[in-house]
Amino acid sequence: MPNQSYLKKNIALAWPLALNGLLMQSMLMVDTLLVSPLGEIPLAAMGIAATLVAFIMGIQMALANGSQLVLSRAIGSGNKQALTKGFWAGLIINLSVALIFWLALHLGDQAIVTALADDPKLQQQIISYLAISKYLVLFTAITQVIIALFNSQGKSKIPLQGYLIEMPINAILSYLLIHGWGEFSGMGVEGAALGSLIAIVIRMSYLSLCLKADQSLQLSLNQSMPALFNSIRLHSKEIFPVAVNVTILQIGISVYQLLYSQLNINAYVAITLVMPWLRAGTQFIAAWAHSSAISISQAIGSRKLDDLSANVNKSIDVAVAISVICALLFAGLSFMLPNIYPDLDAETYQALSLIAPLYIFLPIVRGYNTVHGHALRALGKTTSVFKINFIGQWLISIPLCALLILYFEVSIFWAFAIQPFEEIVKALPFRQLARKSLKEFDSNKAETLMYD
């Protein structure tokens, strides 16, 4: 039977992670509300630039999530030297990647913006926003690795506290910088970028102070350069497939959106309205999957493998239960959407009704796959997880979606049905791989993961 303390520990880890995810989604909506009075061009500029920066941050978060598994194993083993090496390797890798993206935005902003927008006024607004927001990627790199360290210790409340500090500061500063106060007339869309930058610097400072105050950590870098480079090399080998996997999935979501834009306007609006709710609702499933991966990694580090299979299976059971609850909430949402968005065309309401069974069912199968993916990464099967996701999305589902929309010109129901279909395609390979991996996992496999 799975240890009850495993479930309690996961719950204690998961709820701050879920709230953190919801707050991140909420902040994006707040920024949009603050900029919307400026008009369509500033709003479009912020939307395009913020999407670009968010894409980079998604990669940084994926790298940090990979580092989180390494750090969790070190925590489980009680090896403070391994924890120090893992932290610095993760920080150097994430900062290096951030610097590459910063240079790309700094040197290639004109070329990037020209490819994304045709209107000269819109281009100038995007460039103005990026001129400030490009620095976010540097501070995010540091912040995400510190968050990964706290999460690996089971201290997920500290990152949540950091975000609770950042969010109101971001909202107040952005409002004042966008619209001005007194004799200050405001900076427009640049104010939104500057408000976010100041707020994340404050959050990073808070997390750094918490890190310094944690007496259980000894993060002084005392190892030789060859040893550090070797640690970075091995660390990179594990976490870059995680980042590639997330990047491919992010691009896939964008491709889906481009394909859906080829549907009639009412169908596209219906999907656009539903997607933010789907992202917000599945934060609880993602948080549980993350907490499960941390606990599994800690168990591997401590070599406590007797309950590993039982605990993984319990994580899957709980994930399915959370997914079912999310599905029931989405069922309730389907009745509330006309009240939330009261001024839409009748055709848009009809499109929302058509896809309701699909977005109600989607969290169940997606939650099942999400927890499998995180558990398998914790077991060292990152590359295999990438292969399943790539084949299911890019070789099967996206080509099928393109064929249905562009050639057969199907209705919104069949176009949107590809998303749950993709998850169904991936579910059996994930389950088979999990069973095989758990059956084969032993102390020797655990030892190969403890390279620091």
Side-chain angles (χ1 to χ4, degrees), residues 148-229:
L149 179 57
F150 281 126
N151 287 343
S152 67
Q153 292 179 285
K155 299 176 180 178
S156 56
K157 290 181 183 178
I158 293 176
L160 175 60
Q161 290 164 2
Y163 208 91
L164 288 172
I165 293 170
E166 179 190 7
M167 189 173 177
I169 292 173
N170 192 347
I172 294 168
L173 277 179
S174 293
Y175 178 82
L176 295 174
L177 290 168
I178 291 167
H179 301 289
W181 76 94
E183 295 183 0
F184 175 58
S185 60
M187 301 170 62
V189 72
E190 292 170 288
L194 185 57
S196 297
L197 181 60
I198 295 170
I200 198 170
V201 170
I202 292 171
R203 177 165 66 135
M204 185 191 73
S205 301
Y206 170 76
L207 293 174
S208 299
L209 288 172
C210 291
L211 200 63
K212 189 175 181 180
D214 192 336
Q215 297 182 353
S216 67
L217 297 173
Q218 298 175 359
L219 298 177
S220 299
L221 191 59
N222 298 320
Q223 59 186 311
S224 65
M225 291 305 293
L228 177 61
F229 284 134

Side-chain angles (χ1 to χ4, degrees), residues 4 78 87 122 128 147 150 258 298 318 375 399 409 439 442 444:
Q4 292 301 311
F87 172 77
L122 180 58
S128 298
I147 288 172
F150 281 126
L258 287 172
Q298 288 176 347
V318 173
E409 299 181 353
K439 186 177 180 180
D442 55 20
N444 292 328

Side-chain angles (χ1 to χ4, degrees), residues 268-290:
Y268 182 64
V269 168
I271 293 173
T272 301
L273 292 174
V274 165
M275 293 309 293
W277 293 99
L278 279 173
R279 285 193 294 269
T282 52
Q283 290 298 322
F284 294 98
I285 303 167
W288 177 260
H290 276 294

Side-chain angles (χ1 to χ4, degrees), residues 4-5 7 18 62 124 148 184 223 258 285 289 294 331 368 418 450:
Q4 292 301 311
S5 64
L7 294 179
Q124 187 55 49
F184 175 58
Q223 59 186 311
L258 287 172
I285 303 167
I294 291 169
Y368 183 82
I418 296 300
M450 299 299 296

Side-chain angles (χ1 to χ4, degrees), residues 224-403:
S224 65
M225 291 305 293
L228 177 61
F229 284 134
N230 187 56
S231 181
I232 292 171
R233 180 182 64 83
L234 294 170
H235 201 104
S236 300
K237 189 176 179 181
E238 178 167 358
I239 72 172
F240 271 108
V242 178
V244 172
N245 186 46
V246 170
T247 304
I248 290 296
L249 290 174
Q250 283 186 329
I251 295 172
I253 291 170
S254 299
V255 172
Y256 274 129
Q257 287 299 109
L258 287 172
L259 289 171
Y260 292 147
S261 69
Q262 303 305 305
L263 299 168
N264 67 68
I265 185 65
N266 300 105
Y268 182 64
V269 168
I271 293 173
T272 301
L273 292 174
V274 165
M275 293 309 293
W277 293 99
L278 279 173
R279 285 193 294 269
T282 52
Q283 290 298 322
F284 294 98
I285 303 167
W288 177 260
H290 276 294
S291 65
S292 298
I294 291 169
S295 297
I296 293 165
S297 296
Q298 288 176 347
I300 291 170
S302 64
R303 311 303 198 277
K304 295 177 181 178
L305 306 179
D306 293 341
D307 294 327
L308 186 63
S309 294
N311 287 336
V312 170
N313 288 330
K314 179 54 67 175
S315 289
I316 295 168
D317 292 342
V318 173
V320 171
I322 296 171
S323 302
V324 170
I325 293 171
C326 284
L328 292 174
L329 291 173
F330 283 138
L333 176 67
S334 66
F335 293 103
M336 296 170 60
L337 283 176
N339 295 321
I340 297 172
Y341 306 108
D343 300 318
L344 303 175
D345 294 340
E347 291 82 359
T348 304
Y349 291 126
Q350 184 180 9
L352 285 168
S353 298
L354 285 172
I355 62 173
L358 299 172
Y359 69 70
I360 291 169
F361 171 71
L362 181 59
I364 298 175
V365 65
R366 181 168 285 174
Y368 183 82
N369 289 343
T370 299
V371 72
H372 272 85
H374 281 76
L376 285 164
R377 290 190 192 102
L379 295 171
K381 296 294 182 179
T382 301
T383 303
S384 298
V385 171
F386 167 74
K387 290 177 181 177
I388 292 172
N389 280 325
F390 183 80
I391 293 170
Q393 186 181 66
W394 283 93
L395 299 187
I396 298 175
S397 301
I398 287 179
L400 181 59
C401 187
L403 182 66

